[in-house]
Amino acid sequence: STVMTLGGLLAYAKTPRAAGGVIIARAVRWLFGAALLVFGISHFVYAKFTASMVPAWLPPAQIFWAWATGVAQVAAGLAVLTGVQARLAAILLSVMYAAFSLLVHIPLLLARPHDHGAWAENGVNLVLVGAAWGLAEMLSGPKSVRAAAR
């Protein structure tokens, strides 16, 4: 829920009346990067559970994707925190989260349309897509916002 809140703060910071938009952008960048490290590490700590969410038909193996997405999130977190290829990392993170919807969440919804949990998981994932895209947008914004976010 932290990253979802950060996505909302990014949206607010972009409004014309946002008080402290530059300060918000700086805080969001640091908190988002730290959250991505936690997300990635949790993929390693809970690798078996994470792998169970990967479709079995997806080669090469479910555990591979659990680890690969964990590595991707740690790498994105480090990029956001250091500013090295941060925008590219945020864009790729958006693509990865969107792929989660296509490969995991939408098939679950089709298989179990009355399962409220499946709907909630897909909703959360879509908010993560938006938050990551908002981060990429913030990192590509005017120089004053980018500089402040560093």
Side-chain angles (χ1 to χ4, degrees):
S1 66
T2 300
V3 171
M4 293 186 289
T5 302
L6 295 174
L9 284 172
L10 282 173
Y12 168 74
K14 300 268 301 174
T15 63
R17 293 185 174 175
V22 172
I23 294 168
I24 291 170
R26 181 180 297 134
V28 165
R29 180 172 165 244
W30 287 101
L31 293 170
F32 209 116
L36 290 172
L37 294 177
V38 172
F39 287 179
I41 291 167
S42 72
H43 277 226
F44 304 127
V45 172
Y46 304 105
K48 198 175 218 178
F49 172 74
T50 302
S52 74
M53 293 188 287
V54 176
W57 57 263
L58 194 62
Q62 292 170 299
I63 196 70
F64 168 83
W65 290 109
W67 285 82
T69 55
V71 167
Q73 290 184 99
V74 168
L78 292 173
V80 169
L81 288 172
T82 64
V84 176
Q85 297 294 323
R87 181 171 181 267
L88 176 61
I91 290 169
L92 293 174
L93 189 68
S94 301
V95 170
M96 183 175 77
Y97 289 157
F100 290 172
S101 275
L102 294 173
L103 295 171
V104 177
H105 299 294
I106 291 174
L108 270 177
L109 288 175
L110 295 173
R112 302 185 313 217
H114 297 3
D115 182 351
H116 297 286
W119 283 97
E121 288 176 24
N122 189 52
V124 166
N125 190 70
L126 291 175
V127 172
L128 291 176
V129 172
W133 192 257
L135 179 66
E137 183 71 19
M138 184 266 300
L139 292 168
S140 68
K143 283 188 175 187
S144 61
V145 174
R146 277 194 314 236
R150 292 181 187 194

